[in-house]
Amino acid sequence: GDSVTQMEGPVTLSEEAFLTINCTYTATGYPSLFWYVQYPGEGLQLLLKATKADDKGSNKGFEATYRKETTSFHLEKGSVQVSDSAVYFCALSPQAGYKLSFGAGTTVTVRA
Amino acid sequence: GAVVSQHPSWVICKSGTSVKIECRSLDFQATTMFWYRQFPKQSLMLMATSNEGSKATYEQGVEKDKFLINHASLTLSTLTVTSAHPEDSSFYICSAPIAGGLLSTDTQYFGPGTRLTVL
């Protein structure tokens, strides 16, 4: 079945450091890929998404590229801020609007 | 953007009682909604798919008689935890997908979650 493997945390960084969170997936066909973020005490928010190979999703300085050849969707940000401290979830959906399979989540803490 | 609300945001109940959690799509219609459970510092586990006008589809290992789901309208799904026990304490989250339309395409929007504590 479909699955998502995500880099385990926790990850602790200093402000302005470079952040990478690895995510690989197993799925049949052409799934849509997502990154969701959960800030402390809040619900999940969509951070970015990509629906086909070589698409790049971007938002709030974060980027991720849908790589079908490596079945990956790694999340990157060039210069993190304290406000980026959150739990990040990689997820896939086998087709439009259908149920998501989530990775385990990566806790990121950014220190001033 | 699309908004999904949940009520209540937190609830404390005694063991053996039942608790109902509501999930509403506020500015769009959702024929399908999903219910997840999240344990502390863990990922979301899909419990069931709620279908408007028909029975919910439960994931393997989820007791349908314990977690009753009713999708009575295109904007409301409810999850009732029956005869709750301390091990049912968790964070329950609903989501609703939007396929196409003005707001977004092929994206699920999540409610803020409901924290259930069973004493």
Side-chain angles (χ1 to χ4, degrees), chain A residues 11-21 60-62 75-86 88 108-112:
Chain A
V11 175
T12 303
L13 302 165
S14 297
E15 258 190 328
E16 300 183 2
F18 185 85
L19 171 67
T20 298
I21 304 176
K60 299 182 180 181
F62 289 90
L75 182 68
E76 298 182 337
K77 185 172 184 179
S79 177
V80 294
Q81 305 299 314
V82 172
S83 57
D84 294 324
S85 298
Y88 294 82
V108 174
T109 302
V110 181
R111 294 180 174 171

Side-chain angles (χ1 to χ4, degrees), chain A residues 81-100:
Chain A
Q81 305 299 314
V82 172
S83 57
D84 294 324
S85 298
V87 182
Y88 294 82
F89 292 94
C90 185
L92 71 81
S93 176
Q95 62 185 98
Y98 285 79
K99 58 185 181 183
L100 288 162

